[in-house]
Amino acid sequence: MFCAPNLPGDNAKNMKIILLLLSLLVVPALAQSKPTADLIVTNAKVWTVDHKQPTAEAIAVLADRIIAVGSRADIDALRGPNTNVIDAGGKLLLPGFNDAHVHFVDGGMQLDAVQLNDAASAEEFTRRIAEQAKKTPKGAWVLGGDWDETKWTPAKLPTKELIDPFTADIPVFVSRYDGHMSLANSLALRLAGITAQTPDPPGGVIVRDAQGNPTGALKDAAIELMDKAIPPPTHEQRLNAARRALAYAASLGVTSVQHMNPDYADIAVYSELLRHGELTTRIYAAPLITEGVDDQVKIGITHAFGSSYLRIGAVKAYADGSLGSRTAYFFESYSDQPENRGLLGAEMQPLTLMRERMLKADAAGIQLCTHAIGDQAISMVLDLYHDVVRTNRGTEHRFRIEHAQHVAEKDFDRFAQMDVIASVQPYHAIDDGRWAEARIGHDRASRTYAFRTFLNHGVHLAFGTDWDVAPLNPMLTVYAAVTRATLDGKNPNGWIPEQKLSVAEAVEAYTMGSAYAEFQEKEKGSISPGKLADMVILSDDIFSIEPTRIREVKVLKTFVGGKVVWDGERNQSSH
Ligand SMILES: [Zn+2]
């Protein structure tokens, strides 16, 4: 509008008018004379995960973004009359944790469900289910559980006989903690029509007794036989579960999650919470490839489509089962079961169908996240990814392998060459590490949860938990990656200790690594000017305390988009 150099004639007069008009326009800005921050966090030990400026003392936030990172004096210059200043008391401030693999709504539901994971005996398992059944209204099911029979003596798979006497009119279908096996009571089997005559489905096993009758335990694809009998959660139940999960994540410093295989109804719930301003954790949702690929291709969305709070554009596939259920698919048989190499997942049979789905998703720009645990399953997924790369050239794929647990020597390089992200859950290492070697022997165990080997090969690591399979608490995950001390206390110096990571490497995988895995490394994952102000303040400096104490560290404050979504002190005083 004001093109001063082009003004003809009475330049001085014109200039005066222009200056007057300009001053009117810029008065509000001149009055403040410098930009001021909405929020300053100062007196902090900032670990930025930004290699350009690894540490700092203070940060400034405007709206939902970080605008400056520096010394206390630098940042104080951005203080204005309305700036909220938080003194961090010298505590450690990190980018918020980004959990690259969760089952978020299931996790929320689990917070209210029967807790079986720490039931240390079959008797305790029975007692807790009986108690839950008493509280359960007629028509409802007892679900969840996350039992782990390896904690019992003897470690024997549970059968329906344990629970039938207490659950005659309440159907029970409780899952093993790894999600690859569940136990039904007799009523649940009846409702699903599972009898001695029911054949094992492809990719699944109905566990049977010596007479051929189902024991109640269903493995992998056989778990789905129960699907039609269990009423789906209502909208209200999902909404409540998501709210519980959001509050829980905020309390643990988890500012982003990547929800693997959500139901569409879960995404609808997130969308509703987003509309009401209730999302306090950023979500990237990857529905099952078998359901999600055609729909997402039709809409024409691509990876990481959406807003900073809710994104879609990825699909989750399954290549095999789990080590715990002996359904992870290996080149060689299990060391303690010479006839068993595991189970190739139903989606991989026939392989051509999986390849078609992957090609279609990738060609449309949708990100592929594939569960693969056993070394052969991982190898087959890398083969499939290779086929996709050869066919769909020129796009940035950022393929992911979820879990990437047991890797064949030859395959580490292939991860790096195709930039396949290893989306790993270190807590599994200190959990499964108790018994993994007995199942697969030392040689394979040396390439199990091989985080160090991945980094040595230049592979992108993304950290997560697999909640509700493992605890959501990031401190347990960092502890696991750094110590590799198994939960039974038998490996205090680390199980396969050469695979330990440093605290800095673990934090980076949990922030920048996970951000990269969802195409968001320019938006979050480090404390850098221009990025979203997602941050945590911890009770202790995890870089200097004894690694064994990391698991006790608490989150004092969680910020998402510059807003405090968890305040540990306030929460404690209100109790
Ligand atoms: Zn999972």
Side-chain angles (χ1 to χ4, degrees), residues 18-86:
I18 288 164
L19 286 173
L20 180 71
L21 286 171
L22 270 175
S23 70
L24 285 174
L25 282 172
V26 297
V27 154
L30 285 175
Q32 290 184 330
S33 78
K34 58 178 182 177
T36 63
D38 292 332
L39 168 71
I40 285 177
V41 183
T42 190
N43 188 25
K45 210 185 265 182
V46 183
W47 180 262
T48 63
V49 195
D50 182 340
H51 296 293
K52 278 182 265 165
Q53 183 185 9
T55 59
E57 297 173 333
I59 58 116
V61 174
L62 184 65
D64 62 348
R65 302 262 166 185
I66 296 163
I67 53 167
V69 182
S71 70
R72 277 192 261 183
D74 291 344
I75 300 303
D76 206 51
L78 297 167
R79 183 196 296 234
N82 299 319
T83 304
N84 174 24
V85 179
I86 293 176

Side-chain angles (χ1 to χ4, degrees), residues 101-103 260-261 316 318 371 403 466-467 469:
H101 187 126
V102 294
H103 305 284
M260 293 295 130
N261 40 284
K316 167 84 183 298
Y318 275 91
H371 164 121
H403 313 304
D466 208 1
W467 188 54
V469 177

Side-chain angles (χ1 to χ4, degrees), residues 261-516:
N261 40 284
D263 291 337
Y264 282 179
D266 296 339
I267 301 176
V269 159
Y270 296 148
S271 160
E272 184 174 333
L273 291 168
L274 173 63
R275 256 190 334 271
H276 298 150
E278 286 186 63
L279 280 190
T280 49
T281 306
R282 305 183 193 279
I283 299 170
Y284 186 39
L288 286 176
I289 194 168
T290 44
E291 292 169 19
V293 68
D294 286 330
D295 296 338
Q296 296 194 69
V297 168
K298 256 186 249 165
I299 305 168
I301 57 138
T302 59
H303 59 74
F305 170 85
S307 75
S308 68
Y309 274 101
L310 180 57
R311 296 182 187 278
I312 52 174
V315 286
K316 167 84 183 298
Y318 275 91
D320 66 344
S322 77
L323 186 70
S325 294
R326 288 194 174 79
T327 50
Y329 192 60
F330 284 95
F331 285 112
E332 315 253 314
S333 59
Y334 284 78
S335 307
D336 55 351
Q337 273 189 357
E339 77 292 355
N340 182 17
R341 289 203 294 129
L343 285 175
L344 191 61
E347 288 173 31
M348 299 281 276
Q349 308 181 39
L351 209 54
T352 48
L353 194 57
M354 183 64 114
R355 186 180 293 114
E356 250 168 58
R357 287 194 198 106
M358 286 185 167
L359 280 167
K360 186 194 287 181
D362 184 79
I366 291 166
Q367 190 183 17
L368 293 169
C369 315
T370 309
H371 164 121
I373 288 184
D375 54 14
Q376 186 164 8
I378 290 170
S379 224
M380 290 173 80
V381 172
L382 291 170
D383 291 344
L384 287 167
Y385 284 171
H386 183 73
D387 293 345
V388 173
V389 171
R390 258 194 332 204
T391 312
N392 300 339
R393 285 170 191 279
T395 46
E396 195 178 12
H397 312 279
R398 294 206 194 172
F399 300 128
R400 300 165 49 144
I401 291 188
E402 303 302 316
H403 313 304
Q405 229 166 266
H406 313 282
V407 183
E409 187 71 60
K410 66 182 169 78
D411 281 334
F412 288 105
D413 277 334
R414 294 211 291 160
F415 272 84
Q417 280 153 14
M418 291 189 280
D419 189 22
V420 175
I421 295 151
S423 168
V424 298
Q425 300 79 35
Y427 187 87
H428 290 337
I430 60 170
D431 196 350
D432 299 6
R434 291 174 292 136
W435 42 257
E437 221 162 320
R439 294 195 180 182
I440 56 174
H442 183 74
D443 177 53
R444 282 183 289 190
S446 70
R447 295 181 302 277
T448 285
Y449 307 105
F451 311 140
R452 167 65 53 206
T453 311
F454 275 129
L455 287 185
N456 288 349
H457 281 79
V459 176
H460 277 107
L461 274 188
F463 268 12
T465 58
D466 208 1
W467 188 54
D468 56 336
V469 177
L472 185 63
N473 184 352
M475 287 303 111
L476 295 176
T477 292
V478 172
Y479 164 82
V482 171
T483 69
R484 292 180 75 97
T486 50
L487 296 177
D488 56 10
K490 290 190 179 152
N491 298 275
N493 298 317
W495 175 65
I496 321 287
E498 55 277 18
Q499 297 291 351
K500 286 186 201 174
L501 297 189
S502 70
V503 174
E505 288 165 334
V507 168
E508 181 160 359
Y510 225 140
T511 53
M512 277 305 278
S514 300
Y516 183 84

Side-chain angles (χ1 to χ4, degrees), residues 94-139:
L94 299 174
F97 293 101
N98 181 339
D99 193 315
H101 187 126
V102 294
H103 305 284
F104 205 59
V105 171
D106 289 346
M109 286 183 183
Q110 189 214 39
L111 294 172
D112 289 325
V114 61
Q115 307 295 330
L116 299 171
N117 193 262
D118 61 343
S121 64
E123 294 71 38
E124 184 60 19
F125 170 89
T126 300
R127 194 186 64 73
R128 292 191 191 179
I129 290 175
E131 228 166 65
Q132 185 80 10
K134 260 191 250 162
K135 294 193 281 194
T136 303
K138 226 176 152 58

Side-chain angles (χ1 to χ4, degrees), residues 150-161:
T150 65
K151 293 173 181 163
W152 309 348
T153 327
K156 225 178 111 195
L157 274 188
T159 64
K160 59 184 167 42
E161 282 70 29

Side-chain angles (χ1 to χ4, degrees), residues 181-223:
M181 204 185 323
S182 283
L183 180 74
N185 67 351
S186 288
L187 177 56
L189 288 176
R190 202 154 62 240
L191 290 170
I194 298 169
T195 66
Q197 281 71 50
T198 311
D200 288 351
V205 173
I206 300 169
V207 180
R208 298 163 205 267
D209 62 18
Q211 288 74 45
N213 294 311
T215 67
L218 305 178
K219 287 189 182 188
D220 282 289
I223 295 169

